Amino acid sequence: MFERLSLSSAEETEATGRRLAQIIFAAVPDSLCIYLHGELGAGKTTFARGFLRGCGHTGRVPSPTYTLVEPYDCGAYQVFHMDLYRIQDGAELEFLGISDMWYTRSIQLIEWPERGAGGLTDADLQVFLKVIPQGRSCELRAGTPAGENILQQWPV
Ligand SMILES: Nc1ncnc2c1ncn2[C@@H]1O[C@H](COP(=O)(O)OP(=O)(O)OP(=O)(O)O)[C@@H](O)[C@H]1O
Ligand SMILES: [Mg+2]
């Protein structure tokens, strides 16, 4: 199952992230892992910023480029926004305390997941962002039944 969207501005990218968070909060899954794919500048952090707004976070959403992980306390969920661009392989993720994250009720938003291959759980949802002349294309794909359940509720 997948959804394909065309986003003509950064505001639309944010709004899409926000909508996804709202659906997830309404569906109350246990925990959820979301991979954000796309080249440099494709809009992954912009999407994550909107997502965190949809989770009720009102403060800053800095890019985790240097910290690698930014945690947010969003009521029902701990949200972990990660950027693994600077990671060489999945084994380095141990130092981020990533295995502890699975024990809390959490949502993980992971930029550059391919860099953490071998150290991450499979994605429930994958977001593919691409630069196109009109802005960005965005494809949402489900990878598990939990992800399917979320996408089924995407408004048409
Ligand atoms: N739909 C869109 N149309 C036009 N510009 C957009 C759109 N979505 C995001 N942008 C812009 O793209 C730029 C890069 O966005 P962003 O930092 O989110 O990319 P990124 O994928 O996280 O990059 P990186 O891989 O470096 O972390 C920003 O200036 C943002 O405003
Ligand atoms: Mg980014």
Side-chain angles (χ1 to χ4, degrees):
M1 173 182 279
F2 69 95
E3 287 286 334
R4 197 173 283 141
L5 310 161
S6 180
L7 309 171
S8 61
S9 66
E11 288 70 30
E12 280 191 30
T13 305
E14 273 205 38
T16 305
R18 194 179 324 123
R19 187 176 310 156
L20 181 61
Q22 286 162 348
I23 293 172
I24 291 170
F25 268 65
V28 277
D30 279 344
S31 286
L32 214 66
C33 180
I34 305 172
Y35 290 178
L36 301 175
H37 295 282
E39 64 196 273
L40 283 168
K44 302 178 293 296
T45 300
T46 308
F47 187 98
R49 192 166 287 132
F51 188 94
L52 280 150
R53 294 276 172 260
C55 294
H57 176 75
T58 53
R60 285 180 68 235
V61 179
S63 172
T65 314
Y66 297 104
T67 52
L68 302 184
V69 53
E70 293 281 345
Y72 297 87
D73 194 349
C74 296
Y77 296 97
Q78 285 279 111
V79 180
F80 296 98
H81 178 199
M82 289 174 248
D83 181 339
L84 306 183
Y85 187 71
R86 290 151 58 85
I87 288 271
Q88 309 291 329
D89 75 87
E92 289 180 39
L93 293 173
E94 271 310 303
F95 301 108
L96 285 182
I98 209 162
S99 47
D100 296 338
M101 293 178 195
W102 316 129
Y103 298 114
T104 53
R105 198 159 198 238
S106 64
I107 301 172
Q108 302 185 10
L109 279 176
I110 310 177
E111 298 185 38
W112 295 102
E114 43 285 293
R115 305 282 168 115
L120 299 172
T121 46
D122 293 341
D124 296 295
L125 288 169
Q126 303 201 70
V127 180
F128 296 88
L129 288 158
K130 248 190 216 123
V131 178
I132 56 171
Q134 302 85 349
R136 304 289 186 270
S137 69
C138 175
E139 205 172 284
L140 303 170
R141 281 191 177 272
T144 63
E148 297 272 353
N149 181 45
I150 302 299
L151 278 199
Q152 265 161 18
Q153 293 165 65
W154 194 267
V156 282

PDB file of all heavy atoms in Angstrom, residues 1-4 20 33-35 37 123-128 138-144 147-148 151:
ATOM      1  N   MET A   1       0.839  -1.201   0.000  1.00  0.00           N
ATOM      2  CA  MET A   1       0.000   0.000   0.000  1.00  0.00           C
ATOM      3  C   MET A   1       0.875   1.252   0.000  1.00  0.00           C
ATOM      4  O   MET A   1       1.864   1.299   0.711  1.00  0.00           O
ATOM      5  CB  MET A   1      -0.876  -0.013   1.259  1.00  0.00           C
ATOM      6  CG  MET A   1      -1.655   1.265   1.454  1.00  0.00           C
ATOM      7  SD  MET A   1      -2.629   1.242   2.953  1.00  0.00           S
ATOM      8  CE  MET A   1      -4.023   0.317   2.416  1.00  0.00           C
ATOM      9  N   PHE A   2       0.530   2.241  -0.813  1.00  0.00           N
ATOM     10  CA  PHE A   2       1.296   3.474  -0.789  1.00  0.00           C
ATOM     11  C   PHE A   2       0.463   4.669  -1.201  1.00  0.00           C
ATOM     12  O   PHE A   2      -0.596   4.523  -1.805  1.00  0.00           O
ATOM     13  CB  PHE A   2       2.553   3.360  -1.666  1.00  0.00           C
ATOM     14  CG  PHE A   2       2.268   3.280  -3.131  1.00  0.00           C
ATOM     15  CD1 PHE A   2       2.284   4.432  -3.909  1.00  0.00           C
ATOM     16  CD2 PHE A   2       1.991   2.068  -3.741  1.00  0.00           C
ATOM     17  CE1 PHE A   2       2.026   4.367  -5.276  1.00  0.00           C
ATOM     18  CE2 PHE A   2       1.723   1.993  -5.093  1.00  0.00           C
ATOM     19  CZ  PHE A   2       1.743   3.149  -5.866  1.00  0.00           C
ATOM     20  N   GLU A   3       0.949   5.850  -0.827  1.00  0.00           N
ATOM     21  CA  GLU A   3       0.323   7.122  -1.201  1.00  0.00           C
ATOM     22  C   GLU A   3       1.376   7.929  -1.935  1.00  0.00           C
ATOM     23  O   GLU A   3       2.536   7.946  -1.529  1.00  0.00           O
ATOM     24  CB  GLU A   3      -0.060   7.923   0.053  1.00  0.00           C
ATOM     25  CG  GLU A   3      -1.236   7.393   0.826  1.00  0.00           C
ATOM     26  CD  GLU A   3      -2.564   7.668   0.140  1.00  0.00           C
ATOM     27  OE1 GLU A   3      -2.647   8.639  -0.637  1.00  0.00           O
ATOM     28  OE2 GLU A   3      -3.506   6.907   0.396  1.00  0.00           O
ATOM     29  N   ARG A   4       0.984   8.599  -3.008  1.00  0.00           N
ATOM     30  CA  ARG A   4       1.940   9.438  -3.728  1.00  0.00           C
ATOM     31  C   ARG A   4       1.408  10.871  -3.759  1.00  0.00           C
ATOM     32  O   ARG A   4       0.265  11.103  -4.119  1.00  0.00           O
ATOM     33  CB  ARG A   4       2.138   8.904  -5.147  1.00  0.00           C
ATOM     34  CG  ARG A   4       3.378   9.457  -5.798  1.00  0.00           C
ATOM     35  CD  ARG A   4       3.658   8.808  -7.138  1.00  0.00           C
ATOM     36  NE  ARG A   4       4.231   7.481  -7.031  1.00  0.00           N
ATOM     37  CZ  ARG A   4       3.908   6.453  -7.830  1.00  0.00           C
ATOM     38  NH1 ARG A   4       2.989   6.580  -8.755  1.00  0.00           N
ATOM     39  NH2 ARG A   4       4.507   5.290  -7.695  1.00  0.00           N
ATOM     40  N   LEU A  20       0.502  13.139   9.074  1.00  0.00           N
ATOM     41  CA  LEU A  20       0.889  11.762   9.406  1.00  0.00           C
ATOM     42  C   LEU A  20       0.927  11.567  10.925  1.00  0.00           C
ATOM     43  O   LEU A  20       0.423  10.572  11.447  1.00  0.00           O
ATOM     44  CB  LEU A  20       2.253  11.425   8.781  1.00  0.00           C
ATOM     45  CG  LEU A  20       2.749  10.005   9.050  1.00  0.00           C
ATOM     46  CD1 LEU A  20       1.781   8.960   8.463  1.00  0.00           C
ATOM     47  CD2 LEU A  20       4.149   9.791   8.472  1.00  0.00           C
ATOM     48  N   CYS A  33       8.284   2.826  13.716  1.00  0.00           N
ATOM     49  CA  CYS A  33       9.569   3.223  13.154  1.00  0.00           C
ATOM     50  C   CYS A  33       9.350   3.729  11.730  1.00  0.00           C
ATOM     51  O   CYS A  33       8.760   3.035  10.897  1.00  0.00           O
ATOM     52  CB  CYS A  33      10.502   2.019  13.160  1.00  0.00           C
ATOM     53  SG  CYS A  33      12.114   2.383  12.480  1.00  0.00           S
ATOM     54  N   ILE A  34       9.789   4.959  11.487  1.00  0.00           N
ATOM     55  CA  ILE A  34       9.574   5.601  10.185  1.00  0.00           C
ATOM     56  C   ILE A  34      10.921   5.972   9.573  1.00  0.00           C
ATOM     57  O   ILE A  34      11.716   6.682  10.194  1.00  0.00           O
ATOM     58  CB  ILE A  34       8.712   6.877  10.348  1.00  0.00           C
ATOM     59  CG1 ILE A  34       7.390   6.550  11.062  1.00  0.00           C
ATOM     60  CG2 ILE A  34       8.444   7.527   8.991  1.00  0.00           C
ATOM     61  CD1 ILE A  34       6.573   7.778  11.445  1.00  0.00           C
ATOM     62  N   TYR A  35      11.186   5.494   8.381  1.00  0.00           N
ATOM     63  CA  TYR A  35      12.410   5.866   7.661  1.00  0.00           C
ATOM     64  C   TYR A  35      12.090   7.039   6.732  1.00  0.00           C
ATOM     65  O   TYR A  35      11.079   7.016   6.016  1.00  0.00           O
ATOM     66  CB  TYR A  35      12.916   4.718   6.778  1.00  0.00           C
ATOM     67  CG  TYR A  35      13.488   3.507   7.478  1.00  0.00           C
ATOM     68  CD1 TYR A  35      13.932   2.421   6.717  1.00  0.00           C
ATOM     69  CD2 TYR A  35      13.614   3.430   8.859  1.00  0.00           C
ATOM     70  CE1 TYR A  35      14.477   1.290   7.317  1.00  0.00           C
ATOM     71  CE2 TYR A  35      14.162   2.306   9.470  1.00  0.00           C
ATOM     72  CZ  TYR A  35      14.588   1.234   8.692  1.00  0.00           C
ATOM     73  OH  TYR A  35      15.120   0.121   9.283  1.00  0.00           O
ATOM     74  N   HIS A  37      13.590   8.798   3.539  1.00  0.00           N
ATOM     75  CA  HIS A  37      14.572   8.661   2.459  1.00  0.00           C
ATOM     76  C   HIS A  37      14.603   9.902   1.578  1.00  0.00           C
ATOM     77  O   HIS A  37      13.574  10.568   1.409  1.00  0.00           O
ATOM     78  CB  HIS A  37      14.203   7.483   1.549  1.00  0.00           C
ATOM     79  CG  HIS A  37      14.261   6.149   2.209  1.00  0.00           C
ATOM     80  ND1 HIS A  37      15.441   5.477   2.441  1.00  0.00           N
ATOM     81  CD2 HIS A  37      13.276   5.353   2.682  1.00  0.00           C
ATOM     82  CE1 HIS A  37      15.177   4.323   3.020  1.00  0.00           C
ATOM     83  NE2 HIS A  37      13.867   4.215   3.189  1.00  0.00           N
ATOM     84  N   ALA A 123      11.308  -0.785   9.047  1.00  0.00           N
ATOM     85  CA  ALA A 123      10.407   0.368   9.074  1.00  0.00           C
ATOM     86  C   ALA A 123       8.945  -0.079   8.971  1.00  0.00           C
ATOM     87  O   ALA A 123       8.612  -0.935   8.158  1.00  0.00           O
ATOM     88  CB  ALA A 123      10.720   1.297   7.915  1.00  0.00           C
ATOM     89  N   ASP A 124       8.096   0.524   9.804  1.00  0.00           N
ATOM     90  CA  ASP A 124       6.653   0.342   9.650  1.00  0.00           C
ATOM     91  C   ASP A 124       6.165   1.193   8.475  1.00  0.00           C
ATOM     92  O   ASP A 124       5.267   0.800   7.743  1.00  0.00           O
ATOM     93  CB  ASP A 124       5.927   0.780  10.922  1.00  0.00           C
ATOM     94  CG  ASP A 124       6.293  -0.090  12.107  1.00  0.00           C
ATOM     95  OD1 ASP A 124       5.964  -1.292  12.061  1.00  0.00           O
ATOM     96  OD2 ASP A 124       6.921   0.411  13.052  1.00  0.00           O
ATOM     97  N   LEU A 125       6.793   2.361   8.342  1.00  0.00           N
ATOM     98  CA  LEU A 125       6.448   3.286   7.253  1.00  0.00           C
ATOM     99  C   LEU A 125       7.737   3.831   6.659  1.00  0.00           C
ATOM    100  O   LEU A 125       8.699   4.099   7.385  1.00  0.00           O
ATOM    101  CB  LEU A 125       5.632   4.461   7.776  1.00  0.00           C
ATOM    102  CG  LEU A 125       4.186   4.198   8.190  1.00  0.00           C
ATOM    103  CD1 LEU A 125       3.634   5.420   8.930  1.00  0.00           C
ATOM    104  CD2 LEU A 125       3.325   3.893   6.968  1.00  0.00           C
ATOM    105  N   GLN A 126       7.736   4.031   5.344  1.00  0.00           N
ATOM    106  CA  GLN A 126       8.872   4.681   4.701  1.00  0.00           C
ATOM    107  C   GLN A 126       8.355   5.870   3.902  1.00  0.00           C
ATOM    108  O   GLN A 126       7.345   5.766   3.209  1.00  0.00           O
ATOM    109  CB  GLN A 126       9.583   3.723   3.758  1.00  0.00           C
ATOM    110  CG  GLN A 126      10.059   2.465   4.471  1.00  0.00           C
ATOM    111  CD  GLN A 126      11.167   1.769   3.709  1.00  0.00           C
ATOM    112  OE1 GLN A 126      12.284   2.269   3.637  1.00  0.00           O
ATOM    113  NE2 GLN A 126      10.859   0.638   3.125  1.00  0.00           N
ATOM    114  N   VAL A 127       9.073   6.986   4.040  1.00  0.00           N
ATOM    115  CA  VAL A 127       8.732   8.208   3.310  1.00  0.00           C
ATOM    116  C   VAL A 127       9.857   8.435   2.299  1.00  0.00           C
ATOM    117  O   VAL A 127      11.030   8.463   2.680  1.00  0.00           O
ATOM    118  CB  VAL A 127       8.640   9.413   4.277  1.00  0.00           C
ATOM    119  CG1 VAL A 127       8.295  10.688   3.519  1.00  0.00           C
ATOM    120  CG2 VAL A 127       7.612   9.143   5.378  1.00  0.00           C
ATOM    121  N   PHE A 128       9.512   8.568   1.020  1.00  0.00           N
ATOM    122  CA  PHE A 128      10.506   8.811  -0.026  1.00  0.00           C
ATOM    123  C   PHE A 128      10.275  10.210  -0.579  1.00  0.00           C
ATOM    124  O   PHE A 128       9.224  10.464  -1.191  1.00  0.00           O
ATOM    125  CB  PHE A 128      10.366   7.780  -1.155  1.00  0.00           C
ATOM    126  CG  PHE A 128      10.654   6.366  -0.722  1.00  0.00           C
ATOM    127  CD1 PHE A 128       9.646   5.562  -0.208  1.00  0.00           C
ATOM    128  CD2 PHE A 128      11.939   5.844  -0.820  1.00  0.00           C
ATOM    129  CE1 PHE A 128       9.909   4.256   0.196  1.00  0.00           C
ATOM    130  CE2 PHE A 128      12.220   4.540  -0.420  1.00  0.00           C
ATOM    131  CZ  PHE A 128      11.201   3.742   0.089  1.00  0.00           C
ATOM    132  N   CYS A 138       6.500  13.008  -2.896  1.00  0.00           N
ATOM    133  CA  CYS A 138       6.532  12.329  -1.604  1.00  0.00           C
ATOM    134  C   CYS A 138       5.726  11.054  -1.722  1.00  0.00           C
ATOM    135  O   CYS A 138       4.561  11.076  -2.115  1.00  0.00           O
ATOM    136  CB  CYS A 138       5.929  13.241  -0.541  1.00  0.00           C
ATOM    137  SG  CYS A 138       5.768  12.478   1.077  1.00  0.00           S
ATOM    138  N   GLU A 139       6.386   9.937  -1.410  1.00  0.00           N
ATOM    139  CA  GLU A 139       5.682   8.665  -1.439  1.00  0.00           C
ATOM    140  C   GLU A 139       5.726   8.064  -0.043  1.00  0.00           C
ATOM    141  O   GLU A 139       6.787   8.042   0.586  1.00  0.00           O
ATOM    142  CB  GLU A 139       6.389   7.748  -2.436  1.00  0.00           C
ATOM    143  CG  GLU A 139       5.487   6.691  -3.005  1.00  0.00           C
ATOM    144  CD  GLU A 139       6.177   5.948  -4.134  1.00  0.00           C
ATOM    145  OE1 GLU A 139       6.278   6.521  -5.240  1.00  0.00           O
ATOM    146  OE2 GLU A 139       6.636   4.826  -3.890  1.00  0.00           O
ATOM    147  N   LEU A 140       4.590   7.617   0.437  1.00  0.00           N
ATOM    148  CA  LEU A 140       4.498   6.979   1.749  1.00  0.00           C
ATOM    149  C   LEU A 140       4.228   5.500   1.511  1.00  0.00           C
ATOM    150  O   LEU A 140       3.270   5.162   0.814  1.00  0.00           O
ATOM    151  CB  LEU A 140       3.335   7.578   2.558  1.00  0.00           C
ATOM    152  CG  LEU A 140       3.360   9.087   2.801  1.00  0.00           C
ATOM    153  CD1 LEU A 140       2.037   9.539   3.398  1.00  0.00           C
ATOM    154  CD2 LEU A 140       4.497   9.452   3.727  1.00  0.00           C
ATOM    155  N   ARG A 141       5.060   4.643   2.077  1.00  0.00           N
ATOM    156  CA  ARG A 141       4.888   3.197   1.887  1.00  0.00           C
ATOM    157  C   ARG A 141       4.828   2.484   3.225  1.00  0.00           C
ATOM    158  O   ARG A 141       5.628   2.774   4.120  1.00  0.00           O
ATOM    159  CB  ARG A 141       6.081   2.616   1.104  1.00  0.00           C
ATOM    160  CG  ARG A 141       5.994   2.868  -0.362  1.00  0.00           C
ATOM    161  CD  ARG A 141       7.027   2.069  -1.148  1.00  0.00           C
ATOM    162  NE  ARG A 141       6.835   2.317  -2.573  1.00  0.00           N
ATOM    163  CZ  ARG A 141       6.014   1.620  -3.336  1.00  0.00           C
ATOM    164  NH1 ARG A 141       5.340   0.595  -2.831  1.00  0.00           N
ATOM    165  NH2 ARG A 141       5.869   1.912  -4.607  1.00  0.00           N
ATOM    166  N   ALA A 142       3.918   1.537   3.341  1.00  0.00           N
ATOM    167  CA  ALA A 142       3.807   0.739   4.560  1.00  0.00           C
ATOM    168  C   ALA A 142       4.677  -0.497   4.442  1.00  0.00           C
ATOM    169  O   ALA A 142       4.794  -1.080   3.362  1.00  0.00           O
ATOM    170  CB  ALA A 142       2.363   0.342   4.785  1.00  0.00           C
ATOM    171  N   GLY A 143       5.331  -0.890   5.546  1.00  0.00           N
ATOM    172  CA  GLY A 143       6.178  -2.085   5.537  1.00  0.00           C
ATOM    173  C   GLY A 143       5.697  -3.160   6.487  1.00  0.00           C
ATOM    174  O   GLY A 143       6.207  -4.284   6.468  1.00  0.00           O
ATOM    175  N   THR A 144       4.745  -2.833   7.347  1.00  0.00           N
ATOM    176  CA  THR A 144       4.221  -3.794   8.334  1.00  0.00           C
ATOM    177  C   THR A 144       2.702  -3.586   8.450  1.00  0.00           C
ATOM    178  O   THR A 144       2.176  -2.562   7.997  1.00  0.00           O
ATOM    179  CB  THR A 144       4.825  -3.540   9.732  1.00  0.00           C
ATOM    180  OG1 THR A 144       4.413  -2.233  10.168  1.00  0.00           O
ATOM    181  CG2 THR A 144       6.352  -3.620   9.728  1.00  0.00           C
ATOM    182  N   GLY A 147       1.941  -0.273   9.907  1.00  0.00           N
ATOM    183  CA  GLY A 147       2.077   0.803   8.923  1.00  0.00           C
ATOM    184  C   GLY A 147       0.896   0.836   7.969  1.00  0.00           C
ATOM    185  O   GLY A 147       0.397   1.909   7.619  1.00  0.00           O
ATOM    186  N   GLU A 148       0.436  -0.341   7.564  1.00  0.00           N
ATOM    187  CA  GLU A 148      -0.743  -0.430   6.673  1.00  0.00           C
ATOM    188  C   GLU A 148      -1.947   0.222   7.343  1.00  0.00           C
ATOM    189  O   GLU A 148      -2.708   0.958   6.713  1.00  0.00           O
ATOM    190  CB  GLU A 148      -1.109  -1.904   6.390  1.00  0.00           C
ATOM    191  CG  GLU A 148      -0.057  -2.699   5.652  1.00  0.00           C
ATOM    192  CD  GLU A 148      -0.186  -2.589   4.137  1.00  0.00           C
ATOM    193  OE1 GLU A 148      -1.174  -1.991   3.665  1.00  0.00           O
ATOM    194  OE2 GLU A 148       0.714  -3.066   3.435  1.00  0.00           O
ATOM    195  N   LEU A 151      -1.680   3.971   7.029  1.00  0.00           N
ATOM    196  CA  LEU A 151      -1.906   4.484   5.667  1.00  0.00           C
ATOM    197  C   LEU A 151      -3.357   4.342   5.211  1.00  0.00           C
ATOM    198  O   LEU A 151      -3.848   5.143   4.417  1.00  0.00           O
ATOM    199  CB  LEU A 151      -0.981   3.802   4.663  1.00  0.00           C
ATOM    200  CG  LEU A 151       0.436   4.342   4.564  1.00  0.00           C
ATOM    201  CD1 LEU A 151       1.054   3.909   3.251  1.00  0.00           C
ATOM    202  CD2 LEU A 151       0.493   5.860   4.700  1.00  0.00           C
TER     203      LEU A 151
END
